């Protein structure tokens, strides 16, 4: 299956060009096509002569020559493609009219390449790239309890990583790995050649094998992040066809989650349904090393198209929204729990008091967490009180909408710089878990009060707020519009990727 990728950095295009022949990656501008290693173009496929590409004016502009491929030779298992180079620079081409004999889509069709994607930006071109491109990079998303050694072990690199794990300064640097960060390892002939700890999108610790052994250093902006686009028509299943089109398992999983309310990938899929995905690709030294989040996606079944666009709300939380509908959605104005990953150690209501032993109404919920764990404001509000208060120890009380106040007790410390009367946002850190006041261990005592009277925080009916602020809705709408345009282009290309029974000449 073919997949198309955008190549966004003009500088890199030039660089790629120099190394292109080794990588069998013929880059010019906008797109890479991956061809499965067992793909054999039909001899008749060479029918499309470059001269049929006219200078018609369409929507998509190729700023460089267009290269098309036909199979000529093989090198090992990797087919090598020669190129038909269209002579014209600044040629204007389009995929808007797939029936047009002049369009590259038609040429791809004539070549009998199962075309599946389209690009919607200027700088269009076609690269041919064999599947082997990801080479020997292995990647692990760091879990809560991962250490460097355990993460490498999960990658089955215990043996290859042994010399690296004996390096004290590298071990020291990578002592604590951030949850959800990425660890990437490149092996060459069974030796660990490079290790990248991608702490986030911009910061990475890079270990390389040199003549002096392993050397590691922190670097900024090592990754080139590209938006990739991919489209396909379902012939068997989303999983199988998605994988063939070049989607990673993680992206296929995400796709299922994004559309879980619309279609079941297990039993709701029809042959001929169309899928379009825009996602982030991370490149390091010209190689795709991992794919990240889906930025936008659509699923078309019959005459219905479902679309979702990823958008980050204030506070950093991202979600997938319908481009036209979801800006009006409401959500609860409060989080139920003020600490992430905490265990509820005591519920709301009557209980035996842990310190004094008598029966007493517990006016809140207790969440046990390690000393120093950040405590978050559960909603937007302002600081009504912060200080010491009897049994509550160090306590922060917040005032919110609709007569609601929340209280956070037994803190070890307050967030620095906070003061009474100041406003806080939902999710802001206001203090840290401790055991001050009347308490038997590290926990936060959380109260949810309406007009001063404590309610059960787990069941209280929460006030609602717009899912997006007016400002967010505004920026979402314009962003979503550009995504929707690109998805529409992908849909057109997916329709070129016909199920076998309807493939022309197939
Ligand atoms: Zn309590």
């Amino acid at each position: 299956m073919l997949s198309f990728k955008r190549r966004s950095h003009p500088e890199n295009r030039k660089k790629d060009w120099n190394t292109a022949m080794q990588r069998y990656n013929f880059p010019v501008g906008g797109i890479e096509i991956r061809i499965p290693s067992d793909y054999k173009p039909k001899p008749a496929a060479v029918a499309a002569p470059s001269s049929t590409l006219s200078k018609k004016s369409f929507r998509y502009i190729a700023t460089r020559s267009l290269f098309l491929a036909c199979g000529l030779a093989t090198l090992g298992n990797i087919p090598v493609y020669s190129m038909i180079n269209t002579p014209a620079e600044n040629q204007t081409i389009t995929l808007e009219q797939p029936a047009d004999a002049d369009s590259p889509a038609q040429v791809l069709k004539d070549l009998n390449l199962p075309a599946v994607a389209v690009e919607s930006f200027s700088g269009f071109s076609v690269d041919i790239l064999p599947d082997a491109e990801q080479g020997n990079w292995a990647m692990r998303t760091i879990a809560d309890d991962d250490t460097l050694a355990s993460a490498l072990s999960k990658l089955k690199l215990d043996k290859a990583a042994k010399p690296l794990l004996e390096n004290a300064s590298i071990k020291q640097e990578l002592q604590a790995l951030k949850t959800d960060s990425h660890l990437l390892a490149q092996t060459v002939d069974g030796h660990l050649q490079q290790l990248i700890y991608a702490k986030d999108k911009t910061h990475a610790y890079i270990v390389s094998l040199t003549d002096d052994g392993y050397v590691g250093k922190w670097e900024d902006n090592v990754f080139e992040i590209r938006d990739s686009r991919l489209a396909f028509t379902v012939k068997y299943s989303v999983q199988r066809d998605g994988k063939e089109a070049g989607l990673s398992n993680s992206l296929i999983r995400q796709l299922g989650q994004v559309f879980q309310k619309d279609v079941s990938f297990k039993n709701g899929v029809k042959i001929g349904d169309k899928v379009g995905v825009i996602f982030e690709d991370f490149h390091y030294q010209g190689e795709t090393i991992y794919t990240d989040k889906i930025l936008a996606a659509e699923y078309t079944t019959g005459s219905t198209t479902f679309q979702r666009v990823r958008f980050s709300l204030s506070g950093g939380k991202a979600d997938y929204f319908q481009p036209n509908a979801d800006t009006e959605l409401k959500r609860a104005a409060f989080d139920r729990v003020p600490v992430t990953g905490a265990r509820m150690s005591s519920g709301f209501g009557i209980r035996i008091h842990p310190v004094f032993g008598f029966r007493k109404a517990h006016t809140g919920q207790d969440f046990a967490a390690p000393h120093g764990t950040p405590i978050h404001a559960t909603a937007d509000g302002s600081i009504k009180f912060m200080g010491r208060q009897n049994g509550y120890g160090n306590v922060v009380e917040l005032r919110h909408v609709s007569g609601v106040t929340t209280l956070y007790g037994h803190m070890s410390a307050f967030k620095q710089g906070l003061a009474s009367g100041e406003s806080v946002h939902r999710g802001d850190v206001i203090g840290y878990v401790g055991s001050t006041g009347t308490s038997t261990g590290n926990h936060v005592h959380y109260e949810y009060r309406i007009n001063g009277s404590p309610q059960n925080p787990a069941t209280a009916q929460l006030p609602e707020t717009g899912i997006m602020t007016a400002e967010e809705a505004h920026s979402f709408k314009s962003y979503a519009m550009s995504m929707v345009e690109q998805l529409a282009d992908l849909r057109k290309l997916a329709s070129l990727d016909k199920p076998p029974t309807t493939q022309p000449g197939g």
Side-chain angles (χ1 to χ4, degrees):
M1 198 52 47
L2 300 181
S3 63
F4 289 65
K5 284 184 175 180
R6 175 178 168 190
R7 330 193 92 241
S8 48
H9 284 222
E11 273 312 300
N12 277 332
R13 282 180 212 159
K14 241 182 252 157
K15 220 168 31 189
D16 284 348
W17 179 238
N18 296 328
T19 56
M21 303 318 278
Q22 283 126 14
R23 296 185 54 220
Y24 307 103
N25 175 7
F26 312 137
V28 201
I31 290 178
E32 299 168 359
I33 305 178
R34 289 193 205 183
I35 295 185
S37 50
D38 57 353
Y39 173 73
K40 301 252 184 334
K42 290 183 176 176
V46 194
S50 53
S51 60
T52 63
L53 289 163
S54 72
K55 292 191 177 181
K56 274 192 187 171
S57 198
F58 293 114
R59 193 164 153 213
Y60 306 103
I61 297 169
T63 52
R64 311 225 185 152
S65 314
L66 172 74
F67 292 85
L68 294 170
C70 59
L72 279 189
T74 50
L75 182 102
N77 291 330
I78 304 166
V80 179
Y81 296 89
S82 74
M83 296 175 283
I84 304 167
N85 185 1
T86 65
E89 286 279 326
N90 300 316
Q91 190 151 335
T92 306
I93 51 170
T94 184
L95 295 178
E96 259 194 332
Q97 303 170 354
D100 186 335
D102 293 337
S103 74
Q106 183 59 40
V107 177
L108 289 174
K109 238 171 163 178
D110 292 344
L111 286 166
N112 199 26
L113 300 179
V116 284
V118 71
E119 283 286 332
S120 63
F121 58 96
S122 61
F124 176 91
S125 74
V126 178
D127 302 347
I128 308 297
L129 187 71
D131 263 357
E133 162 231 32
Q134 295 219 7
N136 37 17
W137 282 100
M139 195 268 286
R140 176 165 173 82
T141 303
I142 297 301
D144 274 341
D145 52 358
D146 267 345
T147 62
L148 180 60
S150 76
L152 287 166
S153 171
K154 295 262 168 55
L155 292 172
K156 301 200 167 60
L157 293 173
D158 312 63
K159 207 173 145 210
K162 211 167 164 257
L164 180 135
L165 288 170
E166 282 160 6
N167 186 312
S169 72
I170 290 170
K171 262 179 82 178
Q172 171 75 24
E173 261 337 299
L174 300 181
Q175 212 170 28
L177 303 180
K178 208 175 90 185
T179 304
D180 290 335
S181 62
H182 300 280
L183 191 73
L184 301 127
Q186 187 192 32
T187 45
V188 175
D189 303 329
H191 295 285
L192 190 57
Q193 189 70 29
Q194 280 200 95
L195 184 82
I196 301 177
Y197 168 56
K199 193 174 177 195
D200 50 48
K201 287 181 184 182
T202 48
H203 301 99
Y205 187 73
I206 299 188
V207 179
S208 308
L209 183 57
T210 70
D211 293 343
D212 304 324
Y214 287 106
V215 177
K217 61 172 191 282
W218 284 99
E219 284 187 39
D220 287 346
N221 301 316
V222 290
F223 301 117
E224 182 199 333
I225 305 169
R226 299 174 185 171
D227 292 359
S228 286
R229 294 157 179 75
L230 198 144
F232 61 93
T233 291
V234 175
K235 301 179 196 76
Y236 304 96
S237 67
V238 172
Q239 287 83 355
R240 178 167 162 184
D241 298 313
K243 204 157 183 178
E244 257 180 43
L247 284 182
S248 66
N249 289 333
S250 149
L251 288 172
I252 291 171
R253 248 195 325 273
Q254 285 181 47
L255 202 59
Q257 284 159 8
V258 167
F259 291 113
Q260 60 182 341
K261 287 183 189 147
D262 308 310
V263 59
S264 158
F265 284 0
K266 278 214 180 87
N267 49 33
V269 167
K270 291 194 194 76
I271 304 305
D273 287 356
K274 291 173 190 62
V275 180
V277 193
I278 303 170
F279 57 97
E280 269 183 346
D281 241 356
F282 284 67
H283 294 241
Y284 178 66
Q285 296 182 346
E287 306 235 23
T288 303
I289 50 174
Y290 69 96
T291 56
D292 200 35
K293 298 276 179 303
I294 289 179
L295 301 173
E298 73 165 37
Y299 191 92
T300 302
T301 178
S303 57
T304 311
T305 294
F306 302 106
Q307 296 179 320
R308 291 290 186 285
V309 174
R310 186 172 201 270
F311 188 71
S312 295
L313 300 170
S314 59
K317 260 193 186 168
D319 209 340
Y320 291 91
F321 299 102
Q322 300 183 55
N324 298 315
D326 279 354
T327 50
E328 310 299 324
L329 283 184
K330 299 279 183 204
R331 60 171 171 161
F334 286 76
D335 297 325
R336 295 277 181 193
V337 176
V339 201
T340 30
R343 170 180 64 87
M344 196 188 75
S345 52
S346 179
F348 180 87
I350 302 292
R351 64 161 182 182
I352 308 293
H353 193 280
V355 175
F356 302 118
F358 52 79
R359 284 167 71 85
K360 184 179 182 290
H362 187 216
T363 51
Q365 276 185 317
D366 291 345
F367 296 97
H371 185 271
T373 304
I375 298 168
H376 306 276
T378 52
D380 292 353
S382 62
I383 299 178
K384 189 180 167 211
F385 176 84
M386 65 182 283
R388 238 179 140 88
Q389 207 180 84
N390 314 326
Y392 287 127
N394 290 327
V395 64
V396 170
E397 206 180 340
L398 301 179
R399 182 181 289 129
H400 309 280
V401 289
S402 315
V404 176
T405 53
T406 55
L407 180 149
Y408 314 74
H410 311 306
M411 288 179 174
S412 58
F414 302 113
K415 166 82 184 172
Q416 235 175 2
L418 274 194
S420 237
E422 273 183 11
S423 63
V424 293
H425 285 107
R426 180 181 191 162
D428 284 356
V429 173
I430 51 173
Y432 304 92
V433 171
S435 189
T436 56
T438 315
S439 165
T440 52
N442 289 314
H443 77 284
V444 56
H445 169 94
Y446 176 60
E447 281 189 28
Y448 182 92
R449 299 173 178 167
I450 301 177
N451 299 324
S453 135
Q455 312 287 315
N456 186 345
T459 56
Q461 200 182 344
L462 302 170
E464 291 192 323
T465 178
I467 207 153
M468 292 182 197
T469 63
E471 218 171 86
E472 282 170 341
H474 184 78
S475 67
F476 172 74
K477 272 179 189 161
S478 62
Y479 173 68
M481 213 185 292
S482 77
M483 285 298 178
V484 164
E485 257 175 50
Q486 296 175 38
L487 290 171
D489 290 338
L490 283 174
R491 200 180 324 138
K492 278 177 218 153
L493 212 79
S495 58
L496 293 177
D497 179 35
K498 298 250 170 39
T501 48
T502 55
Q503 189 133 22

